[in-house]
Amino acid sequence: QITLKESGPTLVKPTQTLTLTCTFSGFSLSTSGVGVGWIRQPPGKALEWLALIYWDDDKRYSPSLKSRLTITKDTSKNQVVLTMTNMDPVDTATYYCAHTGIAAADYWGQGTLVTVSS
Amino acid sequence: EIVLTQSPGTLSLSPGERATLSCRASQSVSSSYLAWYQQKPGQAPRLLIYGASSRATGIPDRFSGSGSGTDFTLTISRLEPEDFAVYYCQQYGSSPGTFGQGTRLEIK
């Protein structure tokens, strides 16, 4: 049974750096073809892919946010960490992590709402 | 970056009717790496269709996907009350992938 859960601060101040952790179980991020990605959704708006890391440590970022994002993995801890620098109120959103394979994003975490406000 | 445009923005139908949702890409989607998701209020998205036409595990056969290249369709053959939600298409052939803006399926 695959599960994922996001954790991190619920409130950050403008210009701060956000660090989110995705802790998962039921699969290994050292298995060929497997990836874990981060997606966000501002309140009432559409989904937006942020970043994706694969089993071989290949990393992909949204072109529009690439300069602000870093994604890393700790295979031994079954965790993927996303950092986003220079947070702004427009970054207020629910942040999801998801398992990806040949079947797109087939398992999702419950999401965590991050509010950016002073 | 591939831009996905979904239409219509809102679709008003009654239970039992057929729903047809469209997703058009700004350039060809590699190897039909096109997925559809359903999202209900307060919930994470749920994968319905991947590879343009393959149903995900546990998805009822009233949901079907079709298309290739730049034009894709999600069809719900006979709407059930639980199908009223927001639907997103996503291309994942060009990593990390992009989503459409969504189609809201509402009860008429």
Side-chain angles (χ1 to χ4, degrees):
Chain A
Q1 176 192 3
I2 291 177
T3 64
L4 305 97
K5 187 172 184 179
E6 306 87 353
S7 60
T10 58
L11 179 66
V12 297
K13 291 181 168 48
T15 75
Q16 286 187 335
T17 294
L18 172 69
T19 299
L20 293 173
T21 301
C22 177
T23 303
F24 56 85
S25 63
F27 68 95
S28 172
L29 199 37
S30 59
T31 300
S32 178
V34 173
V36 172
W38 285 93
I39 305 100
R40 71 178 179 179
Q41 185 173 39
K45 296 188 177 181
L47 300 163
E48 178 184 21
W49 261 108
L50 300 177
L52 179 57
I53 189 166
Y54 291 100
W55 83 101
D56 59 357
D57 211 40
D58 184 17
K59 301 169 186 176
R60 305 296 175 97
Y61 296 100
S62 165
S64 61
L65 293 167
K66 185 175 182 178
S67 64
R68 299 174 54 204
L69 297 173
T70 303
I71 190 169
T72 60
K73 63 180 175 71
D74 186 328
T75 305
S76 65
K77 292 183 178 179
N78 281 352
Q79 290 182 332
V80 170
V81 175
L82 179 77
T83 61
M84 180 181 291
T85 61
N86 195 24
M87 293 293 285
D88 183 272
V90 300
D91 297 313
T92 294
T94 297
Y95 288 75
Y96 297 99
C97 64
H99 167 278
T100 71
I102 60 170
D106 48 5
Y107 295 91
W108 294 62
Q110 64 190 21
T112 184
L113 176 62
V114 178
T115 301
V116 184
S117 175
S118 55
Chain B
E1 181 175 286
I2 298 177
V3 176
L4 300 180
T5 302
Q6 292 186 239
S7 61
T10 301
L11 185 57
S12 300
L13 293 170
S14 300
E17 291 192 295
R18 180 185 185 91
T20 302
L21 287 66
S22 175
C23 177
R24 178 163 290 179
S26 60
Q27 55 189 281
S28 184
V29 175
S30 173
S31 302
S32 292
Y33 285 156
L34 192 286
W36 290 92
Y37 301 85
Q38 177 193 68
Q39 188 178 33
K40 296 180 179 179
Q43 297 183 16
R46 177 174 70 144
L47 178 66
L48 300 175
I49 301 288
Y50 64 94
S53 60
S54 298
R55 271 188 301 277
T57 303
I59 302 302
D61 61 6
R62 64 179 182 274
F63 290 91
S64 63
S66 63
S68 64
T70 61
D71 288 299
F72 299 88
T73 300
L74 173 70
T75 301
I76 311 172
S77 60
R78 188 176 173 83
L79 286 166
E80 298 287 341
E82 62 267 26
D83 298 336
F84 292 91
V86 179
Y87 291 83
Y88 294 96
C89 60
Q90 181 226 348
Q91 68 80 20
Y92 55 103
S94 174
S95 194
T98 49
F99 289 94
Q101 82 279 17
T103 290
R104 180 178 303 279
L105 178 56
E106 63 177 28
I107 299 176
K108 188 173 183 180

